[in-house]
C-alpha cells in the first residue's frame, strides 16, 4: 500500500532538539498515538493534539495530507 | 483598624471611615462592585460628579500567599455605560493591605480647572494641587515621583489619555521594576481624569501590616497552594517560559486567532509574532523571559523585551496586545508591536481596546493594513497630542466604527472583543455576551477548557456545554477576583484537587472564618448578580448580551464557523 503523507507541527518546548514543522510518511491506518510515540514523546507530555485544527483523540487515524499539531500543556490568557 | 478612605473632590475633603459590617468580608472585585452598586446612581454620567472611583486590594493581598497582589478598581465605565471592575498587579495592592486600607473611594468633582494628586500614608489620604506633572507620560511621572518620594513609593497614575478622558484610558500602577501595569479595560483612567487626579502616591512606611488570625494554618495552606501552582505544567512551566503569547500559535492552529479585524481565524505571520519566537528574541537580546508583575508571584508570566541594541523596549508584553496589533492588524514585526506597547503604556491607554480600534481604523482605510510604524506614529502624534483622529481612535473600537461607518466592529457593550474568535471558540463568545463587564476574556476564560484541555474538554466548535462552562467560570472568576489572586491560579485550580481547598483554607486562616467551597461559589454568584442588576438599572437589557451580527452572518475560515446561539439560549446564562 502507498504510504500517506502527514505534516507534523511541534510547538513550545516540543521543538527543542526536534523540528518546527516536517512532512513524514506513514503506513495507512497510523493513529496519533503511534506517531507521538514514534517521535519519542511520552503520552503524558501531550497537552493538545490537533488534526487539521481540531482536537483529536489519540486513536484518531490519519489520512493523506492531514496536519497533526502537538502542543505541551501550556496556557495564557 | 481596617478602614475605608474617602476622598471628596467637590470640597477637597478626606475622611477615614470604619469598614461597615456588611463590607467586612469583602475585598477586591466583591468590594468595588458592592460599593459602586450601592453608591453610584446607575444612570449617572460616568464622567460626571456622581460617578465614584473605588480601589480595593484583594482579601489575601499583603499576605505571603503566592500571587495575591492584585488591586481592583471599580466605577461606572465610560466605555460600556455599565459597571466595571479591572484588576492589576504592581505594588499598590500590597501597600494598601499593609496600611489596612480596605478601600479608597473617590467621589465628586472639583470646581475650576485645577488638577490634584492624592498621597496615601499611614495617617490616611491627603489632597495636593498638582501642576508639575500634567501632560507627562506614565514613565516620566513614575520617574519624577521616585526621585521626589523615594524608590519605594507606590504610584497609580494616568497618562495623557486619562487627562483627555479618552474612553480607552487606563490607570497605570507601578510594578516592582518601576515600570507599568494597567487597570486596562473600560476607561477607568478617564474616570480618574474626570476627577482631575493625575496620580496617587502610596507610602507604607510605618504601616501596621497584616494580621493573620491563624498563622500556622495559613502557612500550611499557603505551602500546598504554592506547590500546586508550581506543579501544574501551565503555571509552573508554560507561562514562565513563553508568557501568555504562547497562545498565538495555538489559536492559529485551532482557527480561533482573529485576523484582519475578525475576518479570518488564521494569520500567515503567526510564527513571527509567536511566543516561541518572542522567547528566542528575548533570550538573544539579553532580556528577561520571566518576570513577576508583583512581589510574591511565583508564576511570572511577564517578561522584559529588549530592542535590537539590548535596550529596554517593553515589559508585560501580553498575548492580547500582540494578537491585536499582530494578527488583527496584520503586523508581522514583533519589534513594532513592542514599540507600540511601550507607547501605549506611556500614554496610559488600554492595549486591547486600542489594538482592536486600529483594526477597525484599517478597515476604514485610515491607515494601511500591517503598517506598524504608522500605528506607532498615530499613537504618539495623534492620540498623544489629542488630535481629532487621535481622540476617535483613543475612544475605542466602537467609536472608530461609528465615526467611519464600519460595520464589522467587534465589541460587546461597546468594549472591544479580545484575541479569541467567538465563532470558532464558542464558550468565550458566551462570556463576551454575558459578562457585565462587556467583552472580556478574563471574566470566564473558557479557552482553558475549549482549547487548552485544562479543567476538562468542551469542543470549541459546538454549542454543547458552553453556557454552563462560561457560567461556572464566571462565578469562580468573580470570587477569585475578590481574593486578590492572579487569574492564572485558575489553571492549577481547575486541575489539581488540593489547590482550591488550600485557597479557601488561607482565607479562613487569614480572617478566622469558616468559609466552605459553597460560600465561595455563593460569593461569586452574588457579585455577578449585583453587577448585572447595576447594568439593568443603568438601562441595559438582554439585547446588550449579544455579539455583533456579523458573527452570525459571516463564517470564519478555516472551519467556516458561525455564531449560532439563539437569544433564548444566551439568556439562559442568567438562570442561577
Ligand atoms: S502570573 Fe503573570 S499576571 Fe499573574 S501575577 Fe504573575 S506576572 Fe502577574
Amino acid at each position: 500500500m502507498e504510504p500517506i503523507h502527514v505534516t507534523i507541527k511541534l510547538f513550545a518546548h516540543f521543538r527543542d532538539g526536534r523540528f518546527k514543522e516536517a512532512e513524514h510518511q506513514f503506513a495507512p491506518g497510523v493513529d496519533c498515538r503511534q506517531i507521538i510515540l514514534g517521535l519519542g514523546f511520552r503520552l503524558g507530555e501531550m497537552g493538545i493534539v490537533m488534526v487539521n485544527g481540531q482536537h483529536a483523540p489519540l486513536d484518531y487515524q490519519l489520512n493523506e495530507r492531514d496536519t497533526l499539531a502537538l502542543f505541551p500543556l501550556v496556557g495564557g490568557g | 483598624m481596617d478602614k475605608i478612605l474617602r476622598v471628596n473632590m467637590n470640597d477637597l475633603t478626606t475622611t477615614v471611615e470604619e469598614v461597615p459590617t456588611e463590607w467586612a468580608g469583602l475585598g477586591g472585585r466583591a468590594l468595588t462592585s458592592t460599593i459602586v452598586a450601592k453608591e453610584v446612581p446607575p444612570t449617572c454620567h460616568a464622567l460626571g460628579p456622581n460617578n465614584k472611583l473605588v480601589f480595593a486590594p484583594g482579601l489575601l493581598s499583603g499576605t505571603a500567599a503566592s500571587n495575591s497582589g492584585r488591586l481592583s478598581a471599580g466605577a461606572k465605565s465610560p466605555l460600556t455605560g455599565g459597571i466595571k471592575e479591572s484588576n492589576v498587579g504592581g505594588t499598590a495592592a500590597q501597600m494598601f493591605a499593609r496600611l489596612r486600607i480596605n478601600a479608597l473611594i473617590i467621589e465628586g468633582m472639583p470646581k475650576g480647572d485645577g488638577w490634584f494628586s492624592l498621597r496615601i500614608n499611614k495617617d490616611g489620604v491627603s489632597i495636593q494641587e498638582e501642576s508639575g506633572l500634567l501632560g507627562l507620560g506614565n514613565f516620566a511621572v513614575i520617574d519624577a515621583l521616585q526621585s521626589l518620594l523615594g524608590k519605594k513609593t507606590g504610584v497609580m497614575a494616568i497618562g495623557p489619555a486619562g487627562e483627555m478622558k479618552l474612553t480607552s484610558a487606563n490607570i497605570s500602577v507601578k510594578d516592582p521594576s518601576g515600570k507599568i501595569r494597567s487597570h486596562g479595560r473600560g476607561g477607568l483612567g478617564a474616570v480618574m481624569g474626570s476627577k482631575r487626579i493625575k496620580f496617587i502616591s502610596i507610602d507604607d512606611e510605618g504601616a501596621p501590616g497584616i494580621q493573620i488570625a491563624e498563622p500556622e494554618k495559613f502557612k500550611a495552606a499557603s505551602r500546598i497552594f504554592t506547590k500546586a501552582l508550581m506543579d501544574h505544567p501551565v503555571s509552573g512551566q508554560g507561562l514562565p517560559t513563553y508568557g501568555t503569547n504562547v497562545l498565538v500559535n495555538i489559536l492559529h492552529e485551532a482557527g480561533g486567532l482573529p485576523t484582519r479585524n475578525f475576518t479570518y481565524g488564521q494569520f500567515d505571520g503567526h510564527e513571527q509574532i509567536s511566543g516561541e519566537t518572542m522567547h528566542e528574541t528575548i533570550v538573544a537580546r539579553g532580556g528577561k523571559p520571566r518576570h513577576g508583575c508583583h512581589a510574591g508571584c511565583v508564576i511570572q508570566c511577564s517578561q522584559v523585551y529588549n530592542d535590537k541594541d539590548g535596550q529596554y523596549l517593553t515589559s508585560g508584553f501580553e498575548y492580547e496586545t500582540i494578537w491585536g496589533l499582530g494578527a488583527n492588524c496584520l503586523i508581522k514585526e514583533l519589534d513594532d508591536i513592542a514599540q507600540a506597547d511601550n507607547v501605549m503604556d506611556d500614554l496610559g491607554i488600554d492595549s486591547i481596546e486600542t489594538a482592536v480600534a486600529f483594526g477597525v481604523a484599517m478597515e476604514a482605510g485610515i491607515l494601511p493594513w500591517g503598517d506598524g510604524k504608522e500605528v506607532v506614529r498615530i499613537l504618539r502624534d495623534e492620540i498623544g497630542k489629542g488630535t481629532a483622529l487621535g481622540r476617535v481612535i483613543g475612544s475605542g473600537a466602537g467609536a472608530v466604527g461609528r465615526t467611519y461607518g464600519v460595520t464589522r466592529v467587534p465589541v460587546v457593550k461597546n468594549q472591544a472583543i479580545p484575541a479569541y474568535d467567538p465563532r470558532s471558540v464558542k464558550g468565550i463568545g458566551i462570556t463576551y455576551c454575558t459578562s457585565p463587564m462587556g467583552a472580556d476574556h478574563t471574566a470566564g476564560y473558557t479557552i482553558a477548557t475549549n482549547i487548552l484541555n485544562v479543567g476538562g474538554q468542551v469542543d470549541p466548535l459546538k454549542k454543547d456545554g458552553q453556557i454552563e462552562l462560561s457560567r461556572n467560570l464566571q462565578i469562580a472568576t468573580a470570587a477569585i477576583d475578590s481574593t486578590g489572586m492572579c487569574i492564572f491560579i485558575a489553571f492549577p485550580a481547575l486541575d489539581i484537587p488540593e489547590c482550591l481547598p488550600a485557597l479557601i483554607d488561607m482565607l479562613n486562616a487569614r480572617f478566622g472564618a469558616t468559609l466552605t467551597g459553597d460560600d465561595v461559589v455563593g460569593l461569586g454568584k452574588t457579585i455577578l448578580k449585583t453587577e448585572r442588576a447595576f447594568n439593568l438599572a443603568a438601562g441595559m437589557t438582554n439585547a446588550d448580551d449579544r455579539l455583533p451580527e456579523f458573527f452570525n452572518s459571516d463564517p470564519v475560515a478555516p472551519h467556516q464557523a458561525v455564531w449560532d446561539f439563539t437569544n433564548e439560549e444566551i439568556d439562559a446564562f442568567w438562570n442561577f
Side-chain angles (χ1 to χ4, degrees), chain B residues 259-289:
Chain B
T259 298
R260 201 184 198 275
N261 189 31
F262 287 76
T263 310
Y264 312 110
Q266 292 187 313
F267 177 44
D268 64 4
H270 64 99
E271 262 308 325
Q272 282 146 277
I273 61 164
S274 68
E276 288 89 339
T277 302
M278 180 166 137
H279 175 82
E280 283 170 23
T281 310
I282 289 174
V283 172
R285 294 176 179 178
K288 282 191 198 149

Side-chain angles (χ1 to χ4, degrees), chain B residues 67 70 291-294 297 299-302 486 488:
Chain B
N67 290 64
R70 308 284 296 187
H291 180 250
C293 73
H294 67 261
C297 165
I299 302 176
Q300 304 201 332
C301 76
S302 178
C486 159
F488 292 147

